Amino acid sequence: MGSSQQPGSFGDPQQISSDNVNGLCLAISSSLFIGSSFIIKKKGLQKAAASGLRAGSGGYSYLMEPLWWAGMITMIVGEIANFAAYAFAPAVLVTPLGALSIIISAALAHMILGEKLHIFGMVGCVLCVVGSTTIVLHAPQERQIESVKELWDLATEPAFLLYATLVIVAVVIIIVQYAPKYGQTHIIAYVGVCSLVGSIGVMSVQALGIALKLTFSGTNQLLYPQTWVFAVVVVTCVFTQMNYLNKALDTFNTALVSPIYYVTFTSLTIVASVIMFKDWNGQTATQIITELCGFVTILSGTFLLHKTKDLVEVSSPSAFMPYPKYDEGGGSSEEGIPLKHRESMR
């Protein structure tokens, strides 16, 4: 029995263009740099906190720390590679590959920062990669753009304007009302700002990247004011993300920040891309459902990482028993106490 590939499927080798290959290579290298930068910046933040006000408390002493700048440079290199990737391949294809940065940052955090990664956390990392791979194999092809004016028309359609308005309103509410109260205890406050702003930023990055690619190919797009509007949006989004990502890294476990940031950022970016670039137009229901299944797989991996962040490997099975045992005198012994609670008693 023979099987046929759908025309828009990335799984058909004949459909893989040189642009998509270039985009994939750039996206993978970007994840390597960005995943490493989380750890370098975290070490810099720790050193800065020892001599000044922590970033999570509103301090900026990390700006005087060379190690933090080394991490920042590493992240910038990764973001440049990521920026270039969006010029060649669609966001639905490039963005999920950020799962690699989760694996890298979690592994390095385990080895360098001493942030233990439980075996189920490792399974969670694998699930994130499997889900991302599923999305990549069924991603749509890059939309052909001939001018930045086309991009501007897409960005000013009612559907995307509505999405952008909702994002701005949500970000303002979180920054003004929720982050000051719950930022130190609820990771979604800081990560939510990064992800919401990032989804708009990626759309602008992709538009600016395409404009520059067209310019380098001989069609100058720098003469259009729309190109510079996209550039301003990119800069604004990058600085906002940098500020709140620093707060999240300084306040919460790196192995927790990375996957949650990845899932929220990726999900919102793909939603934005589907609205602005209409990536799912022309795809079959099977392809779209398969991509959604990839998202569920990624979410499952993130859930495992979150639920096992406080667990450590032990040889005694009693560490996972749900109820305490009672000794002959009627008192409760430490054996059988859930691991997370036992750690808090010591």
Side-chain angles (χ1 to χ4, degrees):
M1 294 178 62
S3 61
S4 59
Q5 295 284 345
Q6 296 296 333
S9 173
F10 188 77
D12 185 352
Q14 294 181 350
Q15 296 292 324
I16 302 178
S17 66
S18 59
D19 278 353
N20 277 346
V21 172
N22 291 334
L24 281 173
C25 292
L26 288 166
I28 291 172
S29 64
S30 170
S31 294
L32 293 173
F33 282 108
I34 292 175
S36 302
S37 74
F38 275 111
I39 308 305
I40 301 173
K41 289 173 66 179
K42 179 79 172 187
K43 293 290 288 184
L45 289 170
Q46 290 175 342
K47 290 187 65 177
S51 58
L53 187 63
R54 295 174 55 220
S57 300
Y60 293 94
S61 59
Y62 60 85
L63 293 175
M64 304 300 293
E65 176 55 51
L67 191 58
W68 182 86
W69 280 108
M72 194 65 206
I73 292 172
T74 304
M75 175 170 278
I76 289 172
V77 172
E79 293 294 349
I80 291 174
N82 198 47
F83 175 88
Y86 282 112
F88 290 96
V92 174
L93 176 60
V94 173
T95 307
L97 290 179
L100 288 177
S101 66
I102 297 177
I103 309 304
I104 295 166
S105 62
L108 292 178
H110 177 82
M111 294 184 292
I112 297 175
L113 300 179
E115 299 178 357
K116 300 301 180 182
L117 184 63
H118 191 268
I119 182 63
F120 292 127
M122 297 179 186
V123 174
C125 290
V126 172
L127 287 175
C128 288
V129 173
V130 171
S132 298
T133 303
T134 301
I135 295 173
V136 167
L137 292 177
H138 295 82
Q141 295 296 308
E142 171 77 340
R143 184 188 182 106
Q144 296 301 315
I145 302 293
E146 302 296 334
S147 169
V148 72
K149 289 185 176 181
E150 291 183 42
L151 295 166
W152 185 257
D153 290 339
L154 293 172
T156 53
E157 287 187 356
F160 188 75
L161 286 177
L162 175 61
Y163 174 80
T165 301
L166 292 175
V167 165
I168 293 172
V169 170
V171 167
V172 170
I173 291 175
I174 293 174
I175 290 176
V176 174
Q177 185 171 353
Y178 290 99
K181 295 181 181 178
Y182 306 109
Q184 298 294 312
T185 56
H186 293 72
I187 190 173
I188 197 61
Y190 293 149
V191 173
V193 173
C194 292
S195 301
L196 287 166
V197 172
S199 68
I200 299 297
V202 167
M203 297 303 98
S204 298
V205 163
Q206 188 167 3
L208 185 59
I210 293 173
L212 292 176
K213 185 176 74 170
L214 291 172
T215 298
F216 293 145
S217 65
T219 307
N220 190 356
Q221 303 296 307
L222 301 179
L223 301 176
Y224 298 105
Q226 293 92 332
T227 301
W228 299 103
V229 172
F230 286 128
V232 170
V233 174
V234 168
V235 172
T236 303
C237 291
V238 166
F239 277 102
T240 303
Q241 283 182 279
M242 181 184 71
N243 185 33
Y244 283 90
L245 184 57
N246 282 333
K247 292 178 183 291
L249 285 172
D250 192 48
T251 307
F252 301 98
N253 191 304
T254 305
L256 180 62
V257 172
S258 298
I260 292 179
Y261 175 56
Y262 167 76
V263 169
T264 54
F265 171 69
T266 301
S267 300
L268 289 170
T269 297
I270 291 180
V271 168
S273 184
V274 167
I275 294 174
M276 178 172 170
F277 290 97
K278 302 175 178 59
D279 291 326
W280 283 348
N281 285 8
Q283 283 201 297
T284 65
T286 300
Q287 290 173 314
I288 295 174
I289 292 173
T290 303
E291 291 173 29
L292 293 176
C293 287
F295 275 117
V296 173
T297 305
I298 294 174
L299 292 173
S300 300
T302 305
F303 176 79
L304 274 179
L305 282 167
H306 174 70
K307 297 301 290 185
T308 61
K309 65 183 176 64
D310 292 322
L311 297 180
V312 296
E313 292 296 334
V314 293
S315 56
S316 172
S318 64
F320 299 97
M321 295 177 64
Y323 303 107
K325 291 184 177 180
Y326 293 87
D327 57 27
E328 294 179 355
S332 61
S333 65
E334 184 184 26
E335 181 182 7
I337 297 177
L339 192 65
K340 184 175 180 180
H341 295 164
R342 185 186 303 176
E343 290 292 335
S344 63
M345 294 172 62
R346 293 179 177 172

